[in-house]
């Protein structure tokens, strides 16, 4: 226990804890929408595209947020549009495009000799969170949470039934775009900590666990956020204690929670 | 005039689903739409609701419209409570939050349809008849001038039937125009007399009074 408390004396641990907690909560509340709308693949696709853009920015030595944020936002528009319009064929197209992006990112990183950066982007790194990253994640998390509060009733409706929402005169495309942008922002920041390969799990898993016990949409959102926070903090501790990449610890914690939920529900 | 559709054509890619249909409703009008499966009843309703574009023809319609779709698979799985669904009938573009008046309207609509006790149940736990009543409560709490109902009676038990008809008659008497898709001729008896439109292959082939 005291070892864990000792960790809190390291500034990078504090930064990781704050940034990661906020990102985890945001990822999981957006995850509720993505899971219910069967857009679970999106987080995965976006992070692989984000990885390519991070590799490019590292190779060109420019700020990663500057390149990857617009790139991933653009990609999220395309993915939402394609998966709505072309359904299963769209999912296949997204899988193809995003694994190509992942390969491209790996090639660029290897050729430009940035393999250490590559592994930190693939597996995530809490050490990578600078003071600037921390501020960036706080700002982004506040934007996501505020948008979620302001547009909660609209997000609920769009998630529930788009046809019905349009019959109420609601501009569903506009809110789709907002959801895409918020997802992109969270993916870009979240993949730095959790890793390209695991951020989509941080988005999806808490919502899946919360679905086991939640009653109603509001409770689903709240429980999902709480589970994600618990999973992040305990995953971070796991990763320090066993010297694992943080993303893996967080996903492990999320998976354990999901199994426990399912087992309790069975009884 | 609550809506006026003139020479409407609605297509799904190349397939014509509604072919040169004209239809109009004024305050307090009751219109029944009948016809075989695939004759275009749902398409016509969605067209009037503004959910499908007209390939040609014109539509004029009041903004205060409530549309009750056929029950979709999505409703059987979606994790929402009855009260969360009903109050959405009060949502409009540009509006962000519900106020106390909205909550009161939703509550009284639930009471009117006998589902107030179900308010905290998740919709996926409801029977078909209960879910239909939830949809109608949602539509009514928006205080519509035009109510579009797509097969509201499918799979209803006798009690839900009766409550539904009472609610429809009540909004008709308040001046709301109602368009209702139905398979079942016995539905015509429970509701105030109106026009019965029969569709076949996307065209109106018969019109009579009920
Ligand atoms: N989304 C769609 N895409 C293509 N064709 C459709 C679609 N929805 C309905 N149709 C076709 O349009 C015709 C009318 O359908 P619909 O309006 O649902 O009929 P009804 O409600 O009378 O059973 C049918 O031939 C149906 O197959
Ligand atoms: Mg139909």
């Amino acid at each position: 226990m005291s070892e864990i408390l000792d960790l809190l004396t390291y500034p990078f641990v504090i930064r990781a804890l704050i940034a990661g907690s906020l990102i985890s909560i945001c990822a999981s509340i957006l995850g509720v929408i993505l899971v219910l709308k069967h857009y679970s693949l999106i987080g995965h696709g976006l992070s692989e595209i984000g990885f390519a853009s991070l590799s490019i920015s590292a190779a060109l030595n420019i700020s990663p947020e500057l390149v990857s944020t617009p790139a991933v936002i653009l990609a999220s528009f395309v993915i939402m549009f394609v998966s709505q319009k072309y359904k299963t064929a769209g999912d296949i197209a997204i899988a193809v495009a995003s694994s190509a992006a992942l390969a491209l990112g790996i090639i660029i990183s290897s050729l430009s000799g940035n393999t250490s950066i590559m592994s930190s982007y693939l597996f995530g790194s809490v050490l990578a969170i600078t003071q600037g990253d921390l501020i960036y994640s706080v700002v982004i998390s506040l934007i996501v949470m505020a948008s979620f509060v302001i547009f909660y009733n609209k997000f609920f409706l769009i998630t529930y039934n788009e046809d019905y929402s349009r019959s109420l005169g609601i501009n569903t495309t506009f809110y789709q775009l907002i959801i895409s942008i918020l997802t992109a922002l969270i993916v870009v920041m979240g993949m730095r900590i959790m890793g390209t390969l695991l951020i989509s799990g941080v988005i999806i898993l808490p919502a899946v666990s919360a679905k086991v016990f939640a009653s109603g949409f509001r409770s689903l959102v709240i429980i999902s956020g709480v589970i994600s926070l618990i999973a992040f903090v305990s995953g971070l501790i796991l990763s320090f204690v066993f010297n694992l990449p943080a993303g893996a610890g967080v996903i492990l914690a999320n998976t354990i929670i999901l199994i426990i939920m399912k087992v309790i529900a069975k009884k | 005039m609550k809506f006026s559709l003139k020479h409407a054509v609605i297509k799904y890619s190349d397939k014509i689903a509604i072919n040169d249909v004209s239809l109009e409703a004024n305050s307090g009008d009751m219109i029944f739409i009948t016809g075989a499966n695939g004759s275009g009843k749902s398409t016509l309703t969605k067209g009037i609701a503004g959910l499908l574009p007209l390939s040609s023809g014109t539509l004029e319609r009041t903004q205060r419209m409530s549309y009750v779709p056929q029950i979709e698979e999505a409703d059987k799985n979606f994790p929402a409570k009855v009260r969360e669904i009903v109050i959405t009938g009060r949502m409009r573009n540009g509006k962000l939050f519900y106020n106390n008046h909205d909550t009161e309207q939703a509550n009284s609509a639930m009471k009117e349809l006998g589902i107030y006790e179900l308010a905290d149940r998740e919709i996926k736990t409801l029977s078909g008849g209960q879910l239909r009543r939830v949809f109608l409560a949602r539509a009514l709490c928006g205080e519509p001038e035009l109510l579009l109902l797509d097969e509201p009676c499918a799979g209803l038990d006798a009690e839900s039937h009766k409550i539904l008809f009472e609610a429809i008659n009540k909004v008709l008497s308040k001046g709301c125009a109602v368009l209702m898709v139905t398979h079942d001729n016995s539905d015509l008896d429970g509701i105030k007399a109106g026009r019965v439109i029969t569709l076949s292959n996307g065209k109106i082939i018969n019109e009579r009074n009920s």
Side-chain angles (χ1 to χ4, degrees):
Chain A
M1 191 65 214
S2 72
E3 279 169 42
I4 292 171
L5 289 178
D6 279 348
L7 284 173
L8 292 176
T9 58
Y10 296 101
F12 82 88
V13 176
I14 305 279
R15 288 200 294 267
L17 201 59
I18 296 172
S21 299
L22 290 172
I23 298 282
S24 299
I25 293 171
C26 292
S28 65
I29 58 183
L30 286 169
V32 170
I33 298 178
L34 300 181
V35 166
L36 291 176
K37 285 194 79 61
H38 307 289
Y39 288 165
S40 303
L41 267 177
I42 283 177
H44 200 73
L46 288 184
S47 60
E48 295 188 345
I49 289 160
F51 174 74
S53 63
L54 285 179
S55 307
I56 292 169
S57 61
L60 300 178
N61 214 354
I62 35 184
S63 156
E65 278 89 9
L66 227 58
V67 180
S68 48
T69 308
V72 175
I73 288 177
L74 188 67
S76 74
F77 288 173
V78 174
I79 291 182
M80 286 258 184
F81 174 78
V82 168
S83 57
Q84 265 199 331
K85 177 124 196 200
Y86 302 102
K87 309 278 176 255
T88 313
D91 286 351
I92 296 169
I94 291 164
V96 171
S98 58
S99 45
L102 182 61
L104 181 71
I106 293 173
I107 291 169
I108 291 172
S109 299
S110 307
L111 291 181
S112 57
N114 282 328
T115 42
S116 67
I117 291 184
M118 174 171 88
S119 104
S120 113
Y121 288 162
L122 280 178
F123 302 118
S125 165
V126 287
L127 300 167
I129 305 302
T130 63
Q131 194 70 35
D133 291 333
L134 175 62
I135 293 169
Y136 188 72
S137 10
V138 170
V139 170
I140 287 192
S141 303
L142 289 179
I143 291 174
V144 172
M145 288 180 195
S147 310
F148 213 89
V149 171
I150 293 170
F151 299 125
Y152 172 84
N153 290 311
K154 296 287 174 34
F155 287 175
F156 170 82
L157 267 166
I158 310 276
T159 310
Y160 165 61
N161 189 329
E162 280 178 37
D163 259 2
Y164 169 63
S165 305
R166 283 194 290 131
S167 83
L168 294 170
I170 291 166
N171 182 346
T172 53
T173 311
F174 173 74
Y175 293 101
Q176 294 273 15
L177 287 183
I178 294 191
I179 293 168
S180 303
I181 293 173
L182 298 180
T183 308
L185 291 175
I186 286 301
V187 165
V188 170
M189 202 56 230
M191 60 186 282
R192 306 280 304 282
I193 306 177
M194 319 289 182
T196 301
L197 301 175
L198 294 173
I199 179 64
S200 64
V202 177
I203 295 175
I204 302 305
L205 279 167
V208 176
S209 298
K211 260 183 97 173
V212 178
F213 278 107
S215 169
F217 188 80
R218 183 182 300 264
S219 96
L220 183 57
V221 170
I222 294 169
I223 295 177
S224 183
V226 171
I227 288 179
S228 190
L229 180 62
I230 294 172
F232 174 73
V233 175
S234 43
L236 196 64
I237 294 171
L238 273 179
S239 71
F240 281 131
V241 172
F242 296 104
N243 202 13
L244 307 167
V250 173
I251 294 295
L252 185 63
N254 263 306
T255 312
I256 293 170
I257 292 175
L258 177 58
I259 292 170
I260 294 173
M261 293 291 222
K262 291 276 188 196
V263 168
I264 296 175
K266 276 262 162 62
K267 284 194 176 160
Chain B
M1 186 273 301
K2 297 306 176 190
F3 80 84
S4 168
L5 191 67
K6 293 207 176 93
H7 302 292
V9 175
I10 300 177
K11 293 181 185 171
Y12 294 108
S13 31
D14 282 341
K15 187 189 183 314
I16 296 180
I18 287 297
N19 194 354
D20 192 20
V21 168
S22 298
L23 194 61
E24 202 177 278
N26 292 306
S27 182
D29 282 1
M30 178 68 219
I31 300 177
F32 298 96
I33 307 284
T34 64
N37 264 332
S39 56
K41 304 182 297 295
S42 295
T43 306
L44 178 62
T45 315
K46 283 185 190 170
I48 297 169
L51 297 177
L52 293 171
L54 304 185
S55 302
S56 64
T58 57
L59 170 68
E60 280 177 79
R61 166 170 73 66
T62 168
Q63 288 297 308
R64 299 189 65 117
M65 182 255 341
S66 291
Y67 163 64
V68 179
Q70 284 185 278
I71 293 184
E72 290 163 25
E73 214 41 52
D75 291 299
K76 294 177 186 151
N77 297 310
F78 196 77
K81 290 183 181 184
V82 168
R83 66 167 81 252
E84 289 180 310
I85 293 292
V86 171
I87 200 165
T88 63
R90 312 257 336 143
M91 189 41 80
R92 292 287 173 264
N93 200 30
K95 171 171 176 157
L96 293 176
F97 302 106
Y98 301 111
N99 55 31
N100 285 340
H101 179 63
D102 295 328
T103 312
E104 283 160 21
Q105 289 292 324
N107 286 344
S108 70
M110 284 190 280
K111 282 174 189 155
E112 185 177 340
L113 288 158
I115 50 169
Y116 190 67
E117 297 69 35
L118 306 176
D120 285 307
R121 288 260 298 272
E122 283 204 307
I123 53 170
K124 62 185 164 197
T125 67
L126 302 182
S127 71
Q130 290 168 329
L131 193 54
R132 286 259 152 245
R133 287 195 258 160
V134 169
F135 285 1
L136 196 61
R138 173 178 90 183
L140 294 182
C141 86
E143 299 175 286
E145 294 178 354
L146 171 64
L147 182 58
L148 305 173
L149 305 165
D150 197 348
E151 301 204 24
C153 300
L156 278 198
D157 52 278
E159 191 210 350
S160 298
H161 240 113
K162 188 165 152 275
I163 293 172
L164 199 89
F165 288 168
E166 276 169 12
I168 292 173
N169 284 326
K170 191 168 156 191
V171 290
L172 283 167
S173 70
K174 284 189 199 159
C176 178
V178 178
L179 178 146
M180 173 171 144
V181 175
T182 177
H183 262 320
D184 189 348
N185 275 329
S186 65
D187 286 350
L188 310 188
D189 302 331
I191 299 177
K192 193 197 117 176
R195 278 176 284 158
V196 184
I197 310 281
T198 307
L199 288 181
S200 174
N201 284 323
K203 276 184 176 293
I204 296 181
I205 54 160
N206 188 33
E207 178 164 354
R208 62 188 173 91
N209 292 323
S210 70

